[in-house]
Amino acid sequence: MSAAAIIPHDMEPHPVTGMYNGKFGIWLFLASEIMLFGALFSTYVLLRMGAEDGMWPKHGAEILNVPLATFNTVVLITSSVTMVLSWAALKMGDVAKGQRFLGITFLLAGTFLVVKYFEYKEKFHHFEVFLNEPMAVEGYQEPLKGIRGHFTADSPKLEADAKTGAYAIPEYVIIEPDAPHGTHEHPKPVRIESAQVKRISNFGPRHSNFLATYFTLTGLHGLHIVGGMVVILYFLLTGSTFAKKNHEKYVNRIECTGLYWHFVDLVWIFLFPVLYLL
Amino acid sequence: MLAQTTYGRWLPPQLSEHGGKIDQLIDVLHVFMAVLFIAWGIFFVYCLFRFRAKQGHAARYEPVKGLISKYAEIGVGVFEAFLLLGLSMPVWADYKNKPPAESERLPVRVVAEQFQWNFHYAGKDGKFGSTDNSQITASNPIGLRSDDPAGADDIVSVNEFHLPTGTPIYLRLTSKDVIHSFAIPTMRVKQDVIPGMEIPIWFTAKEGSESEKLREQMVQHFPIEGANWYKLRHMIASEDHKSSGGEVLLAKGADLGDSFVKGKELIESLQKAGVAELVMQPRHPLEVICAQLCGNSHFKMKATMVTHDAAGFNAWIEEKSKGVEFEDF
Amino acid sequence: MSSHEAHAGHHHDHGDHHHEELPFWRKYIFSVDHKVIGVQYAVTALVFLFFGFTLMMIMRWQLAYPGQPIPLIGKYLSSAIAMDGILVGDGYNALGAMHGTIMVFLAIVPLAVGGFGNYVLPLQVGAPDMAFPKLNMMSYWVFFCGGVVMIASFFVPGGAAASGWTSYAPLSVIATTGQTMWLLGMVLLITSSLLGSVNFIVTAVQLRAKGLGFFRLPFFVWAQLVTSFLLLLAFPPLEAAGVLQLMDRLAGTSFFMPSGLVVSGVQQTQYAGGGSPLLWQHLFWFLAHPEVYVLILPALGIVAEVIANNTRKPLWGYKSLVYSAIFLGFMSFIVWAHHMFMTGMGTTLSTFFQATTMIISVPSVIILTCLIISLWGASIRYTVPMLFAVAFLPMFAIGGLTGLPLGLTASDIALHDTYYVIGHFHYVVAPGTIFAMFAGIYYWFPKVTGRKMNDLLGKLHFWGSFVFINAVFMPMFFQGMAGLLRRQYDQTEQLHGSLAHGLTTMSSWGAWLLALAQIPFIINFFWSIRGGTKVDANPWQATTLEWAAPSPPPHGNFDKVPVVYCGPYEYSVPGKKTDYCPQHVAMEA
């Protein structure tokens, strides 16, 4: 067996890059992640520019919950801060403090996901009935091509087609339309016959390309948060032992995790205005 | 030059007015490619033999200098720029940017689907009836709206593309389901047909390329030995093929049967009867074919193309433009 | 000491294993040694290569003899593929789509990058292993899982994906279940590639031995480095596109589905519409064009090594080679839409892409020219690897030259989607890259096993392959000129196909004979592992660092960490006793 199975620059920076292997590796990985999210942002741009009038909401706020998302933004940015504090504490030698901050980061990430869960859930209970001909609805200035709202208790239950997954159109539906944007007055429930209906959808991904993009982008981002949480959890559980065995190496691992975490945060900082505010 | 003479050996016959420039580019390109390949090739083969390992001769450590490679490289670059700027871009610009004037052209809408081509003509009134995809039925493949009077005399021709020679044809292409591609090799026309988009292309069939005339020009002789039904399935006999006793075994205008088995039998009986060769011509010398994979019958998706002279085409319009009847109304 | 790991969730400190013998499953199955992983990649890839080739051989029967039952195996094919032993349209398309997918993603890239890159790169830079050995192992197993998913797709109802390896929407969105498995398989394969490329770049940059500056690196390493950047940056958009297509198929979104679709008479009202089929094409080709450079660069790297070694002189124009490879990599990101010229593209966009396509031919020409000029003044040894490397050059030339008419829009009108295209790209990958792969196998087999492969069998393999592979693909240029379209289950259905069909039979027989020509190789490969002539560390008298390690190298590779004193191709240096000066040996004045 060879005596020299030691990987060079595992810990000490390389003269050309100025980084140890892991750090260089994570930066390269992040470059590929930029391409991944970049492709999805490009998709958003292309689809929005090519959308017919009326198919894309004028403002994300029409459909999405901006206050919740703003809260989430603050949560995520804070988690990035606590991530740095964890690394800084560890670098200074205080393992207990470092692990504490790591734990807070984990909890903040969990909060983000919980809020996201409620945001998503709301969408699946919210519906739009797309009409063949625009219909006038009280409280709205223009006749609507699609009525958004919630079905009343006496509206027939919806069934999804086994093959396509889309809702079959029942004989009639009774929907309580949303309050027009800016007001809080719900118009009275409206009954719509099946002949007037083109399509019924909840506010899930199949509703429109805007929501499809929203779910895909935030969903993929959410998966990245989950991935990060798995890594952080692992370090929470094994960190103290690891740090005792090889302190510098542990600090490096946390640094790399932190870089990844900041990237995930950065993606959200782009996502939030693009989807919710524009 | 290297031009397209025999069908199936190099480029097919060239029957459109813009096609000549495309062929010229292809020919120039291939000469250029051949020159490069032969130049490289000669040098290469020379080295393979001249510099074989030999006793007492070492390889040369110093890199060989003063070769013409740098100038050759620049030359290649310059020539490629010429190809791009001088030959390709102008042809493409014409192909894409210079539609024929509205008053001169014949507009046709083409709606592709799995697995047929639907051709929509405006009919005698010159106005296209409006269409709506939600009105599509089996007998109304393009969804012609029954409430639009302009559509009453429209012609919807399934898998038959009729056009006059010498007149610019302006096609608006769209698809109902998946991506297809509208291709006519002899007219040097090819365009992807994409659902959700309407893409215009145009071309003019040369005078003299009427289907009847082409059929006569494309007579070929096939030796009976090795005649294969698959290769000849689209051909019809140009003359009567008789046995030595005078019996007509394959009449003029007849084909070799509609299945491999029938064809094999017929060919064998002709061979036995002493027929030495088959003299045949294409039943449909011109076709529109689908050039983008669109499903399991992609290979069969074709339309017959019938080119008429001006009078013949007008007669066809007269005959077909009788008024639309849809069973489902 | 275990490696530093960047991103994975689980890692155990192995501790020192100088003196501990690993159990079988840790030594050969879940090994973290780059050499074992390299062999795993190579062998798996070769199995997929022959499987992908078999799919084509079945298709070629239908092409040459339409409507005839396939002999021997026809009755065993599933109903999604054949009826009464005769291939059906869907089956032909499925075999075609999977042939392309398997060859590109399961065979060539894993062999060229995963196999050769993994095995040779750390040795050539003088490293004991890759920068992240555990990540390396993960890359292999994720690739393996991706391969399993792809093969499993043959067995689902409806059969495997049948929308081409290009999976254009909307056809792919309305396709059967096999397409979903294709997408899932691709996600796994892309992930494997991404993890691998991080490893390669870090290794090539950070793990170089002392004295091994960038311009002393063997060209093989440069080729792998550029390739890894292409994989790293170009694959993610396809991964994104794959996710989008999965969403369209499974969640009913309309990313690629325009409004108003009617399929077989049925209104597709379940889709919101507003999507764009062209979006898929852009995202797909953004990867798939750099992907073809991923297919050729490692091959160029191998050919360069074999030529330098067997000409006994330095490569001509080393710096040009390196700069061209880097420029090629950069340019490959901005030519993609030349695959989309016929989609209704206007003059502005097409001008841009034609120009970049013309420009990218320049570094390719430079690289080929440098390799050819390297033969001048040489002392050529016609070893089996050299036969393949030398044959590569004109084959690659034909492939590259025939790209020109395709890269100019006007000529592309006549040639797009015809057999001309098939001829073009196969010349580059089949007698091109695959020949380079064979060269690499014959060349490095002694390093991996400590034994040489048999020369006679190798020469049989070479000549048979060379003759028959040309028989398969040369006719295709003429067929394409005649207008014969690609992806045609029955070429005789259309007039052009009927008239150009004679050459199809020649291609088919060429393919079957080509398969027979591989038999000497397969026998040679397996027999030589135990029965080949034993060799020492440097049987080819080569200069690069991998030949400084024993054959085969032990765990950790080098008995002594090498130090580099000179360039990679110091052959026939005037005044020296031997005609080669290894990089790790200081040359006496």
Side-chain angles (χ1 to χ4, degrees):
Chain A
M1 281 280 179
S2 148
I6 303 170
I7 309 278
H9 298 289
D10 194 36
M11 302 272 269
E12 10 124 3
H14 189 277
V16 165
T17 59
M19 298 185 269
Y20 54 91
N21 292 346
K23 197 159 166 190
F24 186 29
I26 202 93
W27 274 113
L28 289 171
F29 176 68
L30 293 182
S32 81
E33 292 275 78
I34 293 175
M35 297 302 287
L36 179 71
F37 282 100
L40 291 173
F41 277 105
S42 307
T43 299
Y44 171 90
V45 170
L46 225 131
L47 288 175
R48 182 166 187 173
M49 279 176 38
E52 277 169 30
D53 287 328
M55 287 202 74
W56 205 275
K58 282 210 189 56
H59 301 284
E62 271 177 46
I63 298 189
L64 302 177
N65 191 328
V66 176
L68 267 183
T70 314
F71 171 73
N72 253 357
T73 310
V74 172
V75 165
L76 210 57
I77 295 179
T78 313
S79 76
S80 255
V81 172
T82 55
M83 187 78 222
V84 176
L85 290 173
S86 164
W87 174 74
L90 285 168
K91 199 134 174 108
M92 304 293 266
D94 191 340
V95 175
K97 193 154 154 218
Q99 294 295 96
R100 261 202 307 275
F101 273 119
L102 204 58
I104 299 175
T105 310
F106 184 83
L107 289 172
L108 288 170
T111 310
F112 181 91
L113 287 180
V114 167
V115 170
K116 199 111 219 99
Y117 167 75
F118 284 111
E119 235 195 297
Y120 276 14
K121 192 163 140 199
E122 199 189 293
K123 301 265 172 316
F124 286 95
H125 294 295
H126 193 185
F127 290 85
E128 180 156 358
V129 179
F130 295 91
L131 302 165
N132 287 324
E133 298 293 333
M135 183 191 278
V137 175
E138 62 162 298
Y140 285 88
Q141 270 137 352
E142 307 269 328
L144 298 175
K145 279 207 281 215
I147 302 185
R148 298 171 180 168
H150 294 81
F151 291 120
T152 60
D154 46 347
S155 183
K157 214 164 160 311
L158 288 175
E159 274 171 29
D161 178 276
K163 203 160 154 268
T164 65
Y167 286 123
I169 301 173
E171 231 187 278
Y172 65 91
V173 288
I174 309 178
I175 187 168
E176 190 198 25
D178 288 338
H181 192 65
T183 74
H184 292 285
E185 298 262 318
H186 284 269
K188 280 199 292 296
V190 178
R191 179 185 162 116
I192 310 173
E193 305 300 323
S194 66
Q196 300 169 285
V197 178
K198 193 155 85 168
R199 190 169 78 98
I200 300 179
S201 176
N202 58 22
F203 277 67
R206 64 168 73 231
H207 172 275
S208 58
N209 271 346
F210 171 70
L211 279 164
T213 315
Y214 164 79
F215 275 100
T216 308
L217 264 170
T218 58
L220 198 63
H221 176 257
L223 279 177
H224 279 77
I225 300 243
V226 171
M229 284 177 73
V230 168
V231 174
I232 293 176
L233 182 64
Y234 176 79
F235 287 131
L236 275 173
L237 298 173
T238 63
S240 335
T241 337
F242 197 144
K244 270 199 205 82
K245 248 193 344 180
N246 189 336
H247 187 90
E248 198 194 338
K249 192 177 189 120
Y250 185 61
V251 172
N252 284 352
R253 296 275 173 107
I254 297 296
E255 185 183 17
C256 291
T257 310
L259 279 169
Y260 171 79
W261 194 254
H262 296 320
F263 174 75
V264 172
D265 189 18
L266 190 67
V267 170
W268 179 259
I269 293 177
F270 276 90
L271 264 181
F272 174 61
V274 166
L275 288 175
Y276 289 83
L277 303 181
L278 282 180
Chain B
M1 229 203 296
L2 302 164
Q4 356 74 19
T5 47
T6 35
Y7 206 119
R9 298 285 142 73
W10 195 244
L11 291 162
Q14 196 280 99
L15 302 171
S16 67
E17 291 191 357
H18 72 278
K21 290 182 252 169
I22 293 177
D23 286 8
Q24 183 190 45
L25 176 61
I26 291 181
D27 288 345
V28 168
L29 268 170
H30 280 84
V31 169
F32 175 61
M33 287 152 62
V35 164
L36 277 183
F37 188 72
I38 291 170
W40 263 328
I42 291 175
F43 181 85
F44 172 69
V45 173
Y46 175 73
C47 287
L48 290 183
F49 286 99
R50 167 75 176 80
F51 297 109
R52 291 181 87 108
K54 280 193 286 270
Q55 275 289 17
H57 287 263
R60 268 175 252 172
Y61 178 78
E62 288 303 318
V64 52
K65 288 199 194 1
L67 277 179
I68 54 168
S69 66
K70 200 200 289 177
Y71 299 109
E73 186 54 49
I74 296 175
V76 163
V78 166
F79 192 73
E80 282 183 353
F82 158 69
L83 286 172
L84 176 65
L85 298 166
L87 290 183
S88 179
M89 281 167 61
V91 175
W92 185 252
D94 275 349
Y95 184 70
K96 286 268 139 181
N97 287 353
K98 295 216 185 88
E102 259 195 72
S103 50
E104 291 174 4
R105 67 196 194 200
L106 171 74
V108 183
R109 283 189 66 237
V110 181
V111 179
E113 64 177 288
Q114 290 175 322
F115 300 97
Q116 71 192 34
W117 295 100
N118 304 299
F119 296 92
H120 181 197
Y121 296 82
K124 282 192 284 208
D125 67 353
K127 289 207 279 266
F128 283 99
S130 46
T131 58
D132 184 349
N133 270 11
S134 58
Q135 306 251 351
I136 289 175
T137 63
S139 56
N140 183 2
I142 64 168
L144 208 54
R145 289 175 67 132
S146 48
D147 57 357
D148 186 349
D153 68 344
D154 283 11
I155 304 171
V156 179
S157 172
V158 175
N159 282 339
E160 263 191 36
F161 180 32
H162 289 257
L163 61 152
T165 57
T167 309
I169 316 289
Y170 185 79
L171 297 160
R172 286 155 48 205
L173 306 169
T174 187
S175 162
K176 278 154 72 171
D177 42 30
V178 300
I179 301 181
H180 299 271
S181 180
F182 185 85
I184 311 171
T186 44
M187 301 287 170
R188 307 297 188 263
V189 162
K190 189 174 284 148
Q191 177 57 55
D192 280 0
V193 181
I194 302 174
M197 290 171 70
E198 190 180 79
I199 303 175
I201 58 164
W202 49 89
F203 69 97
T204 307
K206 284 201 264 214
E207 307 253 0
S209 62
E210 293 81 29
S211 296
E212 288 303 321
K213 292 208 188 108
L214 290 176
R215 200 171 284 127
E216 296 315 311
Q217 286 166 11
M218 285 165 135
V219 174
Q220 275 184 282
H221 297 252
F222 299 96
I224 195 84
E225 193 63 47
N228 179 316
W229 175 80
Y230 274 104
K231 283 195 247 187
L232 299 172
R233 68 206 284 195
H234 300 298
M235 308 294 237
I236 53 176
S238 314
E239 57 190 40
D240 286 339
H241 289 69
K242 303 201 185 88
S243 70
S244 36
E247 184 199 343
V248 175
L249 295 167
L250 180 65
K252 178 170 173 180
D255 61 34
L256 289 176
D258 57 6
S259 76
F260 176 66
V261 171
K262 290 205 196 113
K264 195 156 167 253
E265 275 170 24
L266 182 54
I267 292 173
E268 275 166 7
S269 67
L270 283 164
Q271 195 170 13
K272 263 202 217 92
V275 173
E277 63 175 16
L278 295 166
V279 185
M280 310 191 85
Q281 57 194 148
R283 178 187 285 114
H284 300 296
L286 296 172
E287 288 176 326
V288 174
I289 50 185
C290 178
Q292 184 67 253
L293 180 66
C294 58
N296 59 16
S297 299
H298 162 63
F299 67 101
K300 281 203 284 212
M301 183 168 164
K302 57 181 183 174
T304 313
M305 221 170 114
V306 184
T307 39
H308 306 263
D309 57 20
F313 181 72
N314 286 332
W316 181 78
I317 293 274
E318 272 296 324
E319 193 213 323
K320 292 287 176 183
S321 186
K322 285 204 187 87
V324 175
E325 274 168 39
F326 297 129
E327 288 147 27
D328 310 270
F329 285 178
Chain C
M1 189 163 125
S2 66
S3 71
H4 192 97
E5 197 177 275
H7 182 55
H10 49 271
H11 39 236
H12 330 278
D13 251 27
H14 281 184
D16 270 351
H17 43 219
H18 305 301
H19 305 299
E20 134 206 340
E21 198 50 35
L22 292 168
F24 178 86
W25 65 275
R26 281 256 299 266
K27 200 164 170 202
Y28 295 111
I29 318 267
F30 292 105
S31 169
V32 296
D33 185 317
H34 75 102
K35 298 185 291 298
V36 177
I37 296 172
V39 169
Q40 286 177 315
Y41 262 113
V43 170
T44 313
L46 283 169
V47 170
F48 279 125
L49 186 72
F50 286 113
F51 179 67
F53 186 30
T54 307
L55 296 181
M56 180 44 74
M57 286 199 280
I58 298 174
M59 290 165 72
R60 290 237 62 108
W61 177 270
Q62 161 64 20
L63 285 174
Y65 305 111
Q68 311 296 304
I70 298 164
L72 299 174
I73 54 172
K75 50 185 181 286
Y76 300 114
L77 297 171
S78 80
S79 59
I81 297 186
M83 202 62 83
D84 297 324
I86 305 173
L87 222 52
V88 295
D90 279 312
Y92 180 86
N93 290 342
L95 292 183
M98 294 309 285
H99 166 78
T101 306
I102 290 173
M103 289 309 221
V104 173
F105 295 109
L106 294 182
I108 301 287
V109 177
L111 178 58
V113 182
F116 287 110
N118 247 317
Y119 198 99
V120 176
L121 194 142
L123 286 165
Q124 278 194 344
V125 300
D129 205 311
M130 282 283 191
F132 311 116
K134 286 191 215 100
L135 197 69
N136 205 12
M137 178 188 76
M138 262 212 305
S139 303
Y140 172 74
W141 286 106
V142 174
F143 153 68
F144 185 82
C145 290
V148 167
V149 170
M150 283 290 187
I151 301 299
S153 72
F154 278 104
F155 300 102
V156 299
S163 308
W165 81 289
T166 46
S167 289
Y168 278 5
L171 183 65
S172 51
V173 176
I174 64 177
T176 57
T177 313
Q179 180 65 27
T180 301
M181 297 194 65
W182 186 92
L183 292 164
L184 292 171
M186 284 307 297
V187 169
L188 288 169
L189 294 174
I190 294 173
T191 307
S192 158
S193 262
L194 288 175
L195 298 180
S197 56
V198 169
N199 229 334
F200 276 59
I201 297 172
V202 177
T203 305
V205 173
Q206 313 240 126
L207 265 52
R208 284 167 297 132
K210 183 155 163 270
L212 190 55
F214 278 108
F215 283 92
R216 283 181 173 173
L217 282 171
F219 184 66
F220 178 82
V221 177
W222 273 111
Q224 292 281 343
L225 187 59
V226 175
T227 301
S228 294
F229 269 106
L230 295 182
L231 290 172
L232 185 77
L233 299 174
F235 253 134
L238 182 60
E239 184 143 42
V243 169
L244 295 177
Q245 198 181 109
L246 278 169
M247 291 287 288
D248 272 9
R249 286 179 59 84
L250 302 176
T253 52
S254 306
F255 288 111
F256 308 120
M257 307 298 268
S259 314
L261 287 180
V262 181
V263 178
S264 303
V266 177
Q267 305 278 337
Q268 303 291 300
T269 46
Q270 72 271 34
Y271 292 107
S276 167
L278 286 184
L279 175 62
W280 167 266
Q281 290 194 28
H282 281 294
L283 289 172
F284 176 83
W285 285 115
F286 187 82
L287 160 85
H289 192 82
E291 176 69 23
V292 313
Y293 292 99
V294 167
L295 298 175
I296 197 63
L297 276 169
L300 290 169
I302 295 177
V303 166
E305 297 301 304
V306 172
I307 286 183
N309 176 253
N310 287 290
T311 51
R312 314 306 294 164
K313 58 182 282 293
L315 285 178
W316 191 90
Y318 172 84
K319 280 229 172 97
S320 303
L321 282 168
V322 172
Y323 288 129
S324 295
I326 295 173
F327 185 59
L328 189 73
F330 166 73
M331 287 300 298
S332 73
F333 281 100
I334 51 177
V335 299
W336 82 88
H338 68 217
H339 300 273
M340 297 170 59
F341 281 147
M342 295 301 130
T343 57
M345 202 184 270
T347 39
T348 328
L349 212 56
S350 68
T351 303
F352 173 78
F353 284 106
Q354 279 184 93
T356 53
T357 304
M358 291 296 112
I359 295 172
I360 205 176
S361 70
V362 170
S364 311
V365 168
I366 291 178
I367 291 177
L368 183 65
T369 309
C370 286
L371 292 174
I372 296 180
I373 297 181
S374 296
L375 299 172
W376 183 276
S379 175
I380 304 177
R381 307 186 305 193
Y382 285 107
T383 58
V384 176
M386 187 57 168
L387 288 173
F388 280 102
V390 156
F392 170 91
L393 298 172
M395 299 294 100
F396 175 65
I398 294 175
L401 287 173
T402 50
L404 276 177
L406 298 170
L408 291 170
T409 46
S411 40
D412 196 36
I413 295 171
L415 300 173
H416 177 69
D417 266 341
T418 64
Y419 262 76
Y420 195 93
V421 180
I422 302 189
H424 156 70
F425 67 73
H426 275 96
Y427 257 93
V428 187
V429 272
T433 297
I434 297 185
F435 271 28
M437 299 294 109
F438 284 135
I441 292 175
Y442 285 100
Y443 185 60
W444 279 304
F445 189 92
K447 178 54 55 186
V448 177
T449 61
R451 291 171 189 272
K452 262 187 75 177
M453 288 175 80
N454 178 278
D455 277 343
L456 177 61
L457 287 174
K459 288 186 179 152
L460 269 175
H461 175 219
F462 169 72
W463 286 110
S465 299
F466 183 69
V467 167
F468 295 124
I469 215 166
N470 277 287
V472 178
F473 297 114
M474 186 50 80
M476 294 187 180
F477 294 120
F478 297 96
Q479 293 181 308
M481 283 286 195
L484 179 63
L485 296 175
R486 55 186 298 203
R487 294 172 167 169
Q488 302 284 301
Y489 164 75
D490 182 348
Q491 289 176 344
T492 64
E493 192 52 71
Q494 294 161 359
L495 188 60
H496 306 81
S498 279
L499 294 169
H501 189 251
L503 295 172
T504 297
T505 319
M506 177 176 163
S507 290
S508 291
W509 279 99
W512 299 322
L513 291 168
L514 179 64
L516 288 180
Q518 306 312 301
I519 293 177
F521 170 70
I522 299 174
I523 295 174
N524 199 354
F525 187 84
F526 286 108
W527 177 81
S528 304
I529 295 175
R530 288 290 159 84
T533 327
K534 271 207 178 150
V535 294
D536 62 9
N538 194 356
W540 303 115
Q541 296 97 43
T543 51
T544 44
L545 285 180
E546 76 269 31
W547 304 102
S551 301
H555 188 62
N557 293 341
F558 299 96
D559 296 324
K560 227 169 36 148
V561 178
V563 176
V564 168
Y565 299 97
C566 57
Y569 306 119
E570 296 299 301
Y571 290 101
S572 300
V573 181
K576 300 283 175 261
K577 275 190 298 229
T578 51
D579 73 341
Y580 69 104
C581 295
Q583 282 189 286
H584 68 291
V585 172
M587 278 197 268
E588 324 86 56

